[in-house]
Amino acid sequence: MKDFKKYYYIPATPEEIYMAITNPVTIQLWTGEVAEMSTEPGSEFSMWEGSITGKNLEFELNKKIVQQWYFDGQSDNSIVTIKLHPDKKGTSVELRHTNIPDADFDDMVEGWNSTYMGGLIDFFEGE
């Protein structure tokens, strides 16, 4: 198992980013895919046609999201924590993803950089 931590700069407010990653309508705007999402702790979520699934654990409005991501056959919880820090020109997004299976690590890092956070950055830079 491996952990991944990285900071991303996104040219949007923490409120805009929080909405973009917790509201199924706004998720669809930047991913182009239908998503299942709720800010109710304990609710299940699904993004990118089921490529990412899991359980929502904790929300702090406009500041923090904690989720458990599911990997087939994995018994240890893989936890994603996204913290939003206001910055002069937008938001510093602190990402921490724990217990990523070794075989999935490179794909997960690529997914975070290009698809998930990369998609958010492209969406807000394009506005």
Side-chain angles (χ1 to χ4, degrees):
M1 297 291 191
K2 294 182 180 178
D3 293 350
F4 177 65
K5 184 174 182 179
K6 185 171 178 177
Y7 287 85
Y8 299 87
Y9 173 77
I10 300 179
T13 66
E15 293 80 9
E16 290 171 322
I17 296 168
Y18 185 88
M19 175 69 73
I21 58 181
T22 60
N23 183 308
V25 174
T26 52
I27 291 170
Q28 187 172 354
L29 287 176
W30 63 270
T31 66
E33 304 281 347
V34 174
E36 293 177 34
M37 183 62 70
S38 165
T39 54
E40 183 68 34
S43 62
E44 302 277 320
F45 70 90
S46 175
M47 297 172 65
W48 282 285
E49 298 181 338
S51 295
I52 298 173
T53 58
K55 185 188 326 182
N56 291 307
L57 302 178
E58 179 185 343
F59 294 93
E60 189 174 340
L61 184 64
N62 302 324
K63 294 182 180 179
K64 182 167 96 172
I65 296 131
V66 182
Q67 299 173 320
Q68 176 184 344
W69 284 25
Y70 300 149
F71 289 92
D72 287 338
Q74 179 178 327
S75 58
D76 294 338
N77 290 344
S78 181
I79 304 298
V80 169
T81 304
I82 299 172
K83 293 181 181 178
L84 306 174
H85 305 286
D87 190 77
K88 292 178 202 143
K89 297 180 183 175
T91 302
S92 172
V93 179
E94 177 185 346
L95 168 72
R96 181 172 168 85
H97 191 166
T98 64
N99 290 329
I100 302 169
D102 292 348
D104 296 315
F105 185 78
D106 290 342
D107 286 342
M108 289 305 305
V109 170
E110 172 64 24
W112 279 116
N113 290 333
S114 66
T115 307
Y116 198 108
M117 292 298 173
L120 277 170
I121 291 165
D122 289 347
F123 178 74
F124 284 109
E125 284 182 342
E127 285 193 333

